[in-house]
Each structure stands twice: as structure tokens, then as C-alpha cells.
Short mmCIF file of all heavy atoms in Angstrom, two decimals:
data_model
loop_
_atom_site.label_atom_id
_atom_site.label_comp_id
_atom_site.label_asym_id
_atom_site.label_seq_id
_atom_site.Cartn_x
_atom_site.Cartn_y
_atom_site.Cartn_z
N VAL A 109 -4.27 -12.37 1.36
CA VAL A 109 -3.40 -11.53 2.20
C VAL A 109 -4.25 -10.57 3.03
O VAL A 109 -4.04 -10.40 4.24
CB VAL A 109 -2.39 -10.76 1.34
CG1 VAL A 109 -1.58 -9.78 2.19
CG2 VAL A 109 -1.46 -11.72 0.62
N ARG A 110 -5.21 -9.94 2.40
CA ARG A 110 -6.11 -9.00 3.09
C ARG A 110 -6.85 -9.71 4.23
O ARG A 110 -7.00 -9.17 5.33
CB ARG A 110 -7.09 -8.43 2.08
CG ARG A 110 -8.14 -7.46 2.60
CD ARG A 110 -7.57 -6.08 2.87
NE ARG A 110 -7.19 -5.91 4.26
CZ ARG A 110 -6.63 -4.81 4.74
NH1 ARG A 110 -6.36 -3.79 3.92
NH2 ARG A 110 -6.33 -4.70 6.01
N GLY A 111 -7.30 -10.95 3.96
CA GLY A 111 -8.00 -11.71 4.99
C GLY A 111 -7.12 -12.03 6.17
O GLY A 111 -7.55 -11.99 7.33
N ARG A 112 -5.85 -12.39 5.90
CA ARG A 112 -4.90 -12.67 6.99
C ARG A 112 -4.73 -11.44 7.89
O ARG A 112 -4.68 -11.54 9.12
CB ARG A 112 -3.55 -13.08 6.42
CG ARG A 112 -3.37 -14.56 6.19
CD ARG A 112 -3.14 -15.30 7.49
NE ARG A 112 -3.23 -16.73 7.31
CZ ARG A 112 -2.33 -17.59 7.79
NH1 ARG A 112 -1.27 -17.15 8.43
NH2 ARG A 112 -2.50 -18.89 7.64
N CYS A 113 -4.62 -10.29 7.27
CA CYS A 113 -4.42 -9.06 8.04
C CYS A 113 -5.67 -8.73 8.85
O CYS A 113 -5.58 -8.33 10.02
CB CYS A 113 -4.07 -7.91 7.10
SG CYS A 113 -2.46 -8.09 6.31
N ASP A 114 -6.84 -8.89 8.25
CA ASP A 114 -8.08 -8.57 8.94
C ASP A 114 -8.38 -9.54 10.07
O ASP A 114 -8.81 -9.14 11.15
CB ASP A 114 -9.25 -8.58 7.94
CG ASP A 114 -9.19 -7.43 6.94
OD1 ASP A 114 -8.48 -6.45 7.21
OD2 ASP A 114 -9.85 -7.54 5.89
N ASN A 115 -8.15 -10.84 9.83
CA ASN A 115 -8.59 -11.86 10.78
C ASN A 115 -7.53 -12.26 11.79
O ASN A 115 -7.87 -12.68 12.91
CB ASN A 115 -9.04 -13.11 10.01
CG ASN A 115 -10.19 -12.82 9.07
OD1 ASN A 115 -11.06 -12.01 9.36
ND2 ASN A 115 -10.20 -13.49 7.92
N GLN A 116 -6.25 -12.17 11.42
CA GLN A 116 -5.18 -12.60 12.33
C GLN A 116 -4.20 -11.49 12.67
O GLN A 116 -3.17 -11.74 13.28
CB GLN A 116 -4.45 -13.80 11.72
CG GLN A 116 -5.35 -15.00 11.47
CD GLN A 116 -4.59 -16.23 11.03
OE1 GLN A 116 -3.42 -16.43 11.41
NE2 GLN A 116 -5.21 -17.09 10.24
N LYS A 117 -4.53 -10.28 12.26
CA LYS A 117 -3.72 -9.10 12.59
C LYS A 117 -2.27 -9.23 12.13
O LYS A 117 -1.33 -8.77 12.80
CB LYS A 117 -3.79 -8.78 14.09
CG LYS A 117 -5.19 -8.48 14.58
CD LYS A 117 -5.84 -7.39 13.76
CE LYS A 117 -7.28 -7.13 14.15
NZ LYS A 117 -7.96 -6.16 13.26
N VAL A 118 -2.09 -9.88 10.99
CA VAL A 118 -0.78 -9.93 10.35
C VAL A 118 -0.50 -8.57 9.73
O VAL A 118 -1.42 -7.86 9.31
CB VAL A 118 -0.76 -11.03 9.28
CG1 VAL A 118 0.44 -10.93 8.36
CG2 VAL A 118 -0.81 -12.42 9.94
N ALA A 119 0.76 -8.18 9.68
CA ALA A 119 1.18 -6.98 8.96
C ALA A 119 1.75 -7.41 7.62
O ALA A 119 2.60 -8.29 7.56
CB ALA A 119 2.23 -6.20 9.75
N ALA A 120 1.27 -6.82 6.53
CA ALA A 120 1.72 -7.21 5.20
C ALA A 120 2.22 -6.01 4.42
O ALA A 120 1.67 -4.91 4.54
CB ALA A 120 0.60 -7.90 4.42
N LEU A 121 3.25 -6.23 3.63
CA LEU A 121 3.77 -5.21 2.73
C LEU A 121 3.97 -5.85 1.36
O LEU A 121 4.54 -6.94 1.27
CB LEU A 121 5.10 -4.65 3.24
CG LEU A 121 5.79 -3.60 2.36
CD1 LEU A 121 6.55 -2.59 3.22
CD2 LEU A 121 6.77 -4.25 1.39
N PHE A 122 3.44 -5.20 0.32
CA PHE A 122 3.70 -5.74 -1.02
C PHE A 122 4.19 -4.65 -1.96
O PHE A 122 3.74 -3.51 -1.90
CB PHE A 122 2.48 -6.48 -1.58
CG PHE A 122 1.29 -5.62 -1.98
CD1 PHE A 122 1.07 -5.28 -3.31
CD2 PHE A 122 0.38 -5.20 -1.03
CE1 PHE A 122 -0.03 -4.52 -3.68
CE2 PHE A 122 -0.74 -4.45 -1.39
CZ PHE A 122 -0.94 -4.11 -2.72
N VAL A 123 5.18 -5.03 -2.76
CA VAL A 123 5.73 -4.17 -3.79
C VAL A 123 4.97 -4.44 -5.07
O VAL A 123 4.74 -5.60 -5.44
CB VAL A 123 7.23 -4.46 -4.00
CG1 VAL A 123 7.76 -3.72 -5.23
CG2 VAL A 123 8.03 -4.07 -2.77
N THR A 124 4.54 -3.39 -5.76
CA THR A 124 3.77 -3.59 -6.98
C THR A 124 3.96 -2.42 -7.94
O THR A 124 4.25 -1.29 -7.50
CB THR A 124 2.28 -3.77 -6.66
OG1 THR A 124 1.56 -4.01 -7.87
CG2 THR A 124 1.70 -2.53 -5.99
N HIS A 125 3.79 -2.72 -9.23
CA HIS A 125 3.72 -1.66 -10.23
C HIS A 125 2.28 -1.29 -10.54
O HIS A 125 2.05 -0.33 -11.28
CB HIS A 125 4.42 -2.12 -11.52
CG HIS A 125 5.92 -2.09 -11.44
ND1 HIS A 125 6.64 -0.92 -11.46
CD2 HIS A 125 6.82 -3.08 -11.34
CE1 HIS A 125 7.93 -1.19 -11.38
NE2 HIS A 125 8.07 -2.50 -11.30
N ASP A 126 1.34 -2.05 -9.99
CA ASP A 126 -0.07 -1.83 -10.29
C ASP A 126 -0.67 -0.87 -9.25
O ASP A 126 -1.00 -1.27 -8.13
CB ASP A 126 -0.82 -3.16 -10.29
CG ASP A 126 -2.20 -3.05 -10.90
OD1 ASP A 126 -2.89 -2.04 -10.62
OD2 ASP A 126 -2.61 -3.96 -11.64
N ILE A 127 -0.81 0.37 -9.64
CA ILE A 127 -1.30 1.40 -8.72
C ILE A 127 -2.72 1.09 -8.26
O ILE A 127 -3.07 1.30 -7.09
CB ILE A 127 -1.23 2.79 -9.37
CG1 ILE A 127 0.22 3.13 -9.71
CG2 ILE A 127 -1.81 3.85 -8.46
CD1 ILE A 127 0.37 4.43 -10.49
N ASN A 128 -3.55 0.58 -9.15
CA ASN A 128 -4.93 0.31 -8.79
C ASN A 128 -5.07 -0.85 -7.82
O ASN A 128 -5.96 -0.84 -6.96
CB ASN A 128 -5.77 0.08 -10.04
CG ASN A 128 -5.98 1.37 -10.83
OD1 ASN A 128 -6.32 2.40 -10.26
ND2 ASN A 128 -5.75 1.32 -12.13
N LEU A 129 -4.20 -1.85 -7.91
CA LEU A 129 -4.19 -2.91 -6.91
C LEU A 129 -3.79 -2.36 -5.55
O LEU A 129 -4.36 -2.73 -4.51
CB LEU A 129 -3.23 -4.03 -7.31
CG LEU A 129 -3.74 -5.07 -8.31
CD1 LEU A 129 -2.63 -6.08 -8.61
CD2 LEU A 129 -4.97 -5.78 -7.80
N ALA A 130 -2.81 -1.48 -5.54
CA ALA A 130 -2.40 -0.85 -4.29
C ALA A 130 -3.55 -0.06 -3.68
O ALA A 130 -3.81 -0.13 -2.47
CB ALA A 130 -1.19 0.06 -4.53
N ALA A 131 -4.26 0.69 -4.52
CA ALA A 131 -5.38 1.49 -4.03
C ALA A 131 -6.50 0.62 -3.48
O ALA A 131 -7.16 0.98 -2.50
CB ALA A 131 -5.91 2.37 -5.16
N GLN A 132 -6.71 -0.53 -4.12
CA GLN A 132 -7.84 -1.40 -3.75
C GLN A 132 -7.58 -2.17 -2.47
O GLN A 132 -8.50 -2.37 -1.67
CB GLN A 132 -8.12 -2.37 -4.89
CG GLN A 132 -9.43 -3.14 -4.76
CD GLN A 132 -10.65 -2.25 -4.98
OE1 GLN A 132 -10.58 -1.26 -5.69
NE2 GLN A 132 -11.74 -2.59 -4.32
N PHE A 133 -6.33 -2.62 -2.24
CA PHE A 133 -6.07 -3.54 -1.14
C PHE A 133 -5.29 -2.95 0.02
O PHE A 133 -5.27 -3.54 1.11
CB PHE A 133 -5.33 -4.77 -1.67
CG PHE A 133 -6.19 -5.71 -2.46
CD1 PHE A 133 -6.23 -5.63 -3.85
CD2 PHE A 133 -6.98 -6.66 -1.84
CE1 PHE A 133 -7.03 -6.48 -4.60
CE2 PHE A 133 -7.78 -7.52 -2.58
CZ PHE A 133 -7.81 -7.43 -3.96
N ALA A 134 -4.61 -1.83 -0.17
CA ALA A 134 -3.71 -1.32 0.87
C ALA A 134 -4.38 -0.31 1.78
O ALA A 134 -5.23 0.48 1.36
CB ALA A 134 -2.48 -0.70 0.22
N ASP A 135 -3.97 -0.34 3.04
CA ASP A 135 -4.35 0.69 4.00
C ASP A 135 -3.40 1.89 3.90
O ASP A 135 -3.80 3.03 4.12
CB ASP A 135 -4.30 0.14 5.42
CG ASP A 135 -5.21 -1.05 5.62
OD1 ASP A 135 -6.44 -0.87 5.59
OD2 ASP A 135 -4.69 -2.18 5.79
N VAL A 136 -2.13 1.57 3.59
CA VAL A 136 -1.08 2.59 3.49
C VAL A 136 -0.34 2.40 2.18
O VAL A 136 -0.04 1.27 1.80
CB VAL A 136 -0.08 2.47 4.67
CG1 VAL A 136 1.05 3.49 4.53
CG2 VAL A 136 -0.80 2.64 6.00
N VAL A 137 -0.07 3.50 1.49
CA VAL A 137 0.71 3.47 0.26
C VAL A 137 1.98 4.30 0.47
O VAL A 137 1.90 5.45 0.93
CB VAL A 137 -0.08 4.03 -0.93
CG1 VAL A 137 0.83 4.17 -2.16
CG2 VAL A 137 -1.26 3.11 -1.27
N LEU A 138 3.13 3.69 0.17
CA LEU A 138 4.41 4.40 0.17
C LEU A 138 4.82 4.59 -1.28
O LEU A 138 5.05 3.61 -2.00
CB LEU A 138 5.47 3.58 0.92
CG LEU A 138 6.90 4.11 0.89
CD1 LEU A 138 7.00 5.45 1.62
CD2 LEU A 138 7.87 3.11 1.50
N LEU A 139 4.90 5.82 -1.71
CA LEU A 139 5.28 6.15 -3.08
C LEU A 139 6.74 6.58 -3.08
O LEU A 139 7.12 7.53 -2.38
CB LEU A 139 4.39 7.28 -3.60
CG LEU A 139 4.66 7.81 -5.00
CD1 LEU A 139 4.58 6.71 -6.04
CD2 LEU A 139 3.67 8.93 -5.34
N MET A 140 7.57 5.86 -3.88
CA MET A 140 9.00 6.12 -3.90
C MET A 140 9.47 6.56 -5.28
O MET A 140 8.90 6.19 -6.30
CB MET A 140 9.78 4.86 -3.48
CG MET A 140 9.58 4.41 -2.06
SD MET A 140 10.55 2.90 -1.67
CE MET A 140 12.23 3.54 -1.82
N LYS A 141 10.55 7.33 -5.28
CA LYS A 141 11.25 7.69 -6.51
C LYS A 141 12.70 7.97 -6.16
O LYS A 141 12.99 8.65 -5.18
CB LYS A 141 10.62 8.93 -7.16
CG LYS A 141 11.28 9.31 -8.49
CD LYS A 141 10.63 10.54 -9.12
CE LYS A 141 11.27 10.87 -10.46
NZ LYS A 141 10.67 12.10 -11.06
N ASP A 142 13.61 7.41 -6.95
CA ASP A 142 15.05 7.62 -6.75
C ASP A 142 15.49 7.28 -5.34
O ASP A 142 16.33 7.96 -4.74
CB ASP A 142 15.43 9.07 -7.09
CG ASP A 142 15.18 9.41 -8.54
OD1 ASP A 142 15.27 8.50 -9.39
OD2 ASP A 142 14.87 10.59 -8.84
N GLY A 143 14.90 6.22 -4.77
CA GLY A 143 15.32 5.76 -3.45
C GLY A 143 14.76 6.52 -2.28
O GLY A 143 15.11 6.24 -1.13
N ARG A 144 13.88 7.47 -2.53
CA ARG A 144 13.34 8.31 -1.46
C ARG A 144 11.82 8.25 -1.43
O ARG A 144 11.17 7.94 -2.42
CB ARG A 144 13.79 9.76 -1.63
CG ARG A 144 15.31 9.94 -1.54
CD ARG A 144 15.70 11.41 -1.76
NE ARG A 144 17.13 11.60 -1.63
CZ ARG A 144 17.76 11.84 -0.48
NH1 ARG A 144 17.06 11.91 0.65
NH2 ARG A 144 19.07 12.00 -0.45
N THR A 145 11.28 8.59 -0.27
CA THR A 145 9.83 8.69 -0.12
C THR A 145 9.33 9.98 -0.75
O THR A 145 9.83 11.07 -0.45
CB THR A 145 9.43 8.67 1.36
OG1 THR A 145 9.86 7.44 1.96
CG2 THR A 145 7.93 8.82 1.52
N VAL A 146 8.35 9.85 -1.63
CA VAL A 146 7.68 11.03 -2.18
C VAL A 146 6.45 11.36 -1.35
O VAL A 146 6.24 12.50 -0.95
CB VAL A 146 7.29 10.79 -3.65
CG1 VAL A 146 6.52 11.99 -4.22
CG2 VAL A 146 8.52 10.50 -4.50
N GLU A 147 5.63 10.35 -1.11
CA GLU A 147 4.44 10.50 -0.28
C GLU A 147 4.21 9.19 0.46
O GLU A 147 4.55 8.11 -0.03
CB GLU A 147 3.19 10.82 -1.10
CG GLU A 147 3.21 12.16 -1.81
CD GLU A 147 2.74 13.30 -0.91
OE1 GLU A 147 2.26 13.01 0.21
OE2 GLU A 147 2.85 14.46 -1.34
N SER A 148 3.59 9.26 1.64
CA SER A 148 3.21 8.07 2.38
C SER A 148 1.95 8.36 3.16
O SER A 148 1.83 9.41 3.80
CB SER A 148 4.34 7.65 3.34
OG SER A 148 3.98 6.47 4.05
N GLY A 149 0.98 7.45 3.07
CA GLY A 149 -0.27 7.65 3.80
C GLY A 149 -1.39 6.84 3.18
O GLY A 149 -1.16 5.88 2.46
N ARG A 150 -2.60 7.23 3.47
CA ARG A 150 -3.75 6.52 2.92
C ARG A 150 -3.78 6.70 1.40
O ARG A 150 -3.34 7.73 0.87
CB ARG A 150 -5.03 7.07 3.52
CG ARG A 150 -5.17 6.86 5.02
CD ARG A 150 -6.46 7.46 5.53
NE ARG A 150 -6.55 8.89 5.20
CZ ARG A 150 -7.62 9.63 5.40
NH1 ARG A 150 -8.73 9.09 5.89
NH2 ARG A 150 -7.61 10.92 5.09
N PRO A 151 -4.32 5.70 0.69
CA PRO A 151 -4.35 5.80 -0.78
C PRO A 151 -4.99 7.10 -1.28
O PRO A 151 -4.50 7.69 -2.25
CB PRO A 151 -5.18 4.58 -1.19
CG PRO A 151 -4.93 3.58 -0.11
CD PRO A 151 -4.81 4.38 1.16
N THR A 152 -6.07 7.54 -0.64
CA THR A 152 -6.73 8.77 -1.10
C THR A 152 -5.85 10.00 -0.93
O THR A 152 -6.00 10.98 -1.66
CB THR A 152 -8.05 8.99 -0.34
OG1 THR A 152 -7.81 8.89 1.07
CG2 THR A 152 -9.09 7.95 -0.75
N ASP A 153 -4.92 9.96 0.04
CA ASP A 153 -4.03 11.09 0.27
C ASP A 153 -2.81 11.08 -0.65
O ASP A 153 -2.29 12.13 -1.02
CB ASP A 153 -3.56 11.11 1.74
CG ASP A 153 -4.70 11.32 2.71
OD1 ASP A 153 -5.69 11.98 2.34
OD2 ASP A 153 -4.61 10.81 3.85
N VAL A 154 -2.36 9.86 -1.00
CA VAL A 154 -1.13 9.72 -1.77
C VAL A 154 -1.39 9.76 -3.28
O VAL A 154 -0.62 10.38 -4.04
CB VAL A 154 -0.41 8.41 -1.39
CG1 VAL A 154 0.79 8.16 -2.31
CG2 VAL A 154 0.03 8.46 0.07
N LEU A 155 -2.45 9.09 -3.72
CA LEU A 155 -2.68 8.91 -5.15
C LEU A 155 -3.43 10.10 -5.73
O LEU A 155 -4.58 10.01 -6.16
CB LEU A 155 -3.43 7.60 -5.39
CG LEU A 155 -2.73 6.35 -4.83
CD1 LEU A 155 -3.57 5.11 -5.08
CD2 LEU A 155 -1.33 6.21 -5.41
#
């Protein structure tokens, strides 16, 4: 998925319970609770 985004400029979104996978592969992390956004931004800013 990361390669597709880097090489073909695809936009990807994945839902996960694994915070470390999100930190490792994502450019943007959306953190949600109770249906609302808690934080959104770069992994270093959100996590």
C-alpha cells in the first residue's frame, strides 16, 4: 500500500487497532473516540 501511494500517488486510508502500524506507515493519523475527532495530524503530533 505504501509503495502504491509513493509510486502512483494513490490516496490510502486504513482503519486499525495497531497504533504502532499506524505510526510506521501513515503520513496522517486520525484519532477518534465516541464518533468524534480527538486529534488529527502527523503521527508525532497525534501519538
